[in-house]
Structures are given as C-alpha cells and as structure tokens.
Amino acid sequence: MNLEVSRKKMVAFALVVTMSAASGHGKKCGFEAIFNFGDSNSDTGGFYAAFPAERLPFGMTYFHKPAGRATDGRVIVDFLAQALGIPFLSPYLQSIGSDFRHGANFATLASTVRLPQTSLFVTGVSPFSLAIQLNQMKQFKAKVDQLHSSSGEDKLPPPTIFGKSLYTFYIGQNDFTGNLAIGINGVKQYLPQVVSQIASTIKEIYALGGRDFLVLNLAPIGCYPAFLVELPHNASDIDSFGCLISYNNAVVDYNTMLEEALKQTRREVADASVVYTDIHSVMLELFHHPTSHGMKYGTKACCGHGGGAYNFDKRVYCGNEKVINGRTLVATACSDPYSYVSWDGIHATDAANKIVAHAMINGSIFRPPFSLHKFCDIQAID
C-alpha cells in the first residue's frame, strides 16, 4: 500500500467511525456475540486464569489494574466488542465472574497455531494451541446446547447464538517468532502448516453453525523493539524507518500465503464470509509514521529497561526486576503510553490497538469488502 495514501485513509478512520457511532447509539447489533481465537495479542485473561501471575503496569491506562491483557489497556477484540455494543469477552478459562451470553475468548498468551513441541515450563509456549481452542469451542457449544436456561441466569447464550456471532482469529505470531532461532528459511517450512490449520479450523466452526469470520494477518515483527534487539542482523538489513527488512519481508510472505488459503476456504464455504483483515498495513504505517497519528515513538517500547532507541532489555521484562552482577535492573512503564506504538517491545499499546480497531470498523482493511455497519449500528469507542 502506498504510504501517503495509507496515511490519508487512517486520518479519516476516526472521523468516520465517530460519526457512524453517534448515529447508531442504543440500537441492536446483528452480531449477538464474538468468539475469539488467538494468542497474547487478543487474550483477555485466559492465560492468567490458568497461570495466575499478572501484575502492574499491565492494565494501567484503561483498567487501572492488571486485567489479563498483555498491554497497558485494551486489545483489538475489546474495541471490537465496544463497537458492536457487547461486553468485553470473558475468557473461556476463567471460572469466576465470567458471563458468556455474548461470546467467549479462547485466546491465551503464548499460544500457537501448531501443536507445541515443548512445555510452557521449558520455553514458555502455551499448551492452549489453536487445536485445543477449537476443542474448547466445541465443548462450549455442547454445554450450551445441554445446559442453557431461558432465564439467562446461567450466564450462557441461547443455542441459536452460533449462527449470529462473529468469529475472530488473531494467532500465528508465536509460530513465526518462536522458530526464528533456526533462521527465516527454517521458519518458512512451517508456514504452510500454520495457514492450513487456520483454514481447517474455520471449516470446522462453519460446521458448528458459524458464518462470519475475521482473520487478522500478522503485524510487521521486524519493527518490534524486542526483535530489533534480539534477532541477528546486519546494518544493511535495517530500512529507513528502523525496521528489519528481511523479517518484515518474511511476514509479508506469510500474509500472502494466509490470504490465498482464505480465498480457497471461501470457495469451500460459499455462503460464509471469510474475511482477510490486513492489520499489517495499519501497524506498519504506525511504526513508520507515529507522529502522523498523534504518537511520538514507533520502534521504542513504553515499558522496559535500558532507554536508548528501543528501551528493551531481554534480561528484564516489563514489570519485573532482576539483580545482575549486584545491580538491580527494573523494567518500568513510561508515563505516556499513548505516545507509543509498542507497549513492552512485543505487544501494541491501547492507543495503537484503538487505531487498528478503527480501521477494522471502518472496513478499510477487509478483503473481500465486509461492512460491520451492514450488521450493526456502531457504538462509540472511548
């Protein structure tokens, strides 16, 4: 996408969404629920329900406390829920305080599409891969069919909900980054399996009654502070915006493969909407031109240690402290996360996620064209 055209489009996003939201206030939405599959980019508390360990400064700007999200505030699916006028999604794994009447979130931090070949306690990979999340979805539907009460007191949706829901996928980043130790060419051998698994999952959910699917592509990891620090590269591999050329090119290759797989899936489920969602173009624009969107820093993390160009130190992660050679290192958060694209070197800030969500709600990054406004009177995003 031409960057100048991209900037002009994004300037219009907020205005269009705000105007639409105002006209639709208080009206119902054809999508009565969202079911989300993903990793830390869309987890709303699943991982920490299974493995409690969350702490500030995560959640500091919107929730003002840890809220199970790997950012300072909301993730993209939170904004999407707000726009559709439904509550934030309860994590499927959360046993206390959950309300599933408007969907469920199966995403967990560190999840992969492919089945993990190692343990959480060895490499940090979540056991809740996409196949497990799909099985949880099947179990959820079976329980709804069995246990639903028309009174709603059981906090479950009606069995008819599954054909009136939006199914979102934001997963694959960990399949990509988790194998980078073997090099980009080594990673590429796994990518066909990743896109194939996503496509087959869509078809299985289609068999359960799902008809509307939004599949988010991968953001440009070559612009993430953590990877700029950790991944081996030469100075010639850095573009004029400070991002890694080779790794971003590999992400583009993956995204192209994903889009082609979704085109084939669309032919197999002809009465469904299977929508490729190009968040990559929005995130790349933010990393390249943060000041054009009210921000200051693209490739520098808000929460981290070390300052400098990236403010990321792999020895001590956001919110933690560690004694090294008798010196205590503390990774703290900045006072203005809204000025940053990157929260902790790996995840986007609430502010960046909001801009991506605006692009989705506006419909500018959907292929083929898909209008949420056709189904819903969009609510304002605060």
Side-chain angles (χ1 to χ4, degrees):
M1 177 184 290
N2 179 278
L3 290 178
E4 184 60 32
V5 172
S6 176
R7 283 198 294 277
K8 290 179 179 177
K9 282 185 177 181
M10 291 181 64
V11 168
F13 287 162
L15 177 60
V16 172
V17 171
T18 301
M19 291 174 62
S20 300
S23 65
H25 181 69
K27 295 183 180 180
K28 291 185 177 180
C29 179
F31 292 124
E32 298 177 7
I34 299 173
F35 292 97
N36 182 68
F37 304 82
D39 52 31
S40 56
N41 290 306
S42 61
D43 185 0
T44 55
F47 183 87
Y48 290 117
F51 307 102
E54 58 182 330
R55 69 186 72 182
L56 285 170
F58 291 89
M60 61 180 275
T61 59
Y62 182 81
F63 301 99
H64 307 296
K65 62 181 180 181
R69 292 150 174 86
T71 182
D72 60 304
R74 292 157 291 184
V75 293
I76 294 170
V77 74
D78 288 324
F79 288 107
L80 186 58
Q82 284 186 313
L84 301 188
I86 64 177
F88 292 147
L89 299 185
S90 291
Y92 175 80
L93 295 172
Q94 181 175 281
S95 59
I96 299 173
S98 286
D99 186 338
F100 298 116
R101 287 175 291 184
H102 294 282
N105 193 352
F106 302 97
T108 68
L109 183 151
S111 285
T112 53
V113 173
R114 299 171 66 242
L115 285 172
Q117 305 298 308
T118 183
S119 164
L120 170 71
F121 304 104
V122 176
T123 60
V125 176
S126 170
F128 303 107
S129 66
L130 183 57
I132 301 300
Q133 294 180 28
L134 174 61
N135 284 338
Q136 291 171 336
M137 174 70 202
K138 292 177 178 178
Q139 175 76 345
F140 181 88
K141 184 179 187 302
K143 290 296 184 182
V144 166
D145 292 342
Q146 175 187 351
L147 301 174
H148 171 71
S149 167
S150 59
S151 68
E153 293 179 0
D154 52 14
K155 306 293 186 182
L156 294 176
T160 56
I161 198 75
F162 301 102
K164 304 174 183 178
S165 299
L166 192 61
Y167 297 84
T168 54
F169 294 78
Y170 190 5
I171 190 168
Q173 180 172 308
N174 295 314
D175 295 88
F176 196 98
T177 61
N179 292 298
L180 284 175
I182 61 176
I184 293 176
N185 291 330
V187 170
K188 286 183 176 180
Q189 68 179 304
Y190 296 116
L191 300 186
Q193 299 172 37
V194 173
V195 298
S196 175
Q197 184 73 30
I198 292 173
S200 65
T201 301
I202 290 171
K203 287 181 279 189
E204 291 210 45
I205 295 174
Y206 175 87
L208 298 177
R211 290 297 182 269
D212 295 284
F213 304 87
L214 302 182
V215 184
L216 283 63
N217 64 6
L218 293 189
I221 67 159
C223 298
Y224 284 23
F227 302 123
L228 283 162
V229 170
E230 293 182 342
L231 296 178
H233 62 276
N234 299 317
S236 60
D237 196 26
I238 300 292
D239 67 18
S240 60
F241 301 102
C243 299
L244 291 163
I245 298 170
S246 58
Y247 292 96
N248 276 351
N249 286 344
V251 170
V252 170
D253 290 343
Y254 167 82
N255 287 340
T256 299
M257 194 181 302
L258 175 64
E259 185 168 18
E260 289 303 312
L262 295 182
K263 286 179 181 178
Q264 176 58 38
T265 304
R266 211 172 291 127
R267 289 190 283 268
E268 296 176 31
V269 290
D271 62 331
S273 294
V274 180
V275 183
Y276 176 80
T277 307
D278 184 21
I279 69 160
H280 178 277
S281 62
V282 184
M283 288 298 297
L284 189 65
E285 165 66 17
L286 291 179
F287 279 120
H288 283 182
H289 303 283
T291 58
S292 297
H293 308 287
M295 298 177 171
K296 296 179 181 178
Y297 308 104
T299 56
K300 182 177 181 178
C302 163
C303 186
H305 173 266
Y310 306 124
N311 192 37
F312 183 86
D313 187 333
K314 63 183 179 181
R315 298 173 298 174
V316 55
Y317 183 60
C318 174
N320 291 296
E321 62 178 61
K322 188 174 184 180
V323 177
I324 298 177
N325 297 326
R327 179 167 163 256
T328 301
L329 306 184
V330 183
T332 57
C334 64
S335 60
D336 56 342
Y338 50 83
S339 297
Y340 291 74
V341 178
S342 177
W343 162 242
D344 57 1
I346 301 171
H347 306 98
T349 57
D350 178 283
N353 285 330
K354 184 176 183 178
I355 292 173
V356 174
H358 276 165
M360 292 175 63
I361 295 160
N362 177 269
S364 300
I365 57 173
F366 289 147
R367 297 201 290 269
F370 181 79
S371 175
L372 291 169
H373 295 271
K374 177 181 176 181
F375 298 91
C376 308
D377 291 313
I378 300 301
Q379 306 298 297
I381 292 175
D382 59 8

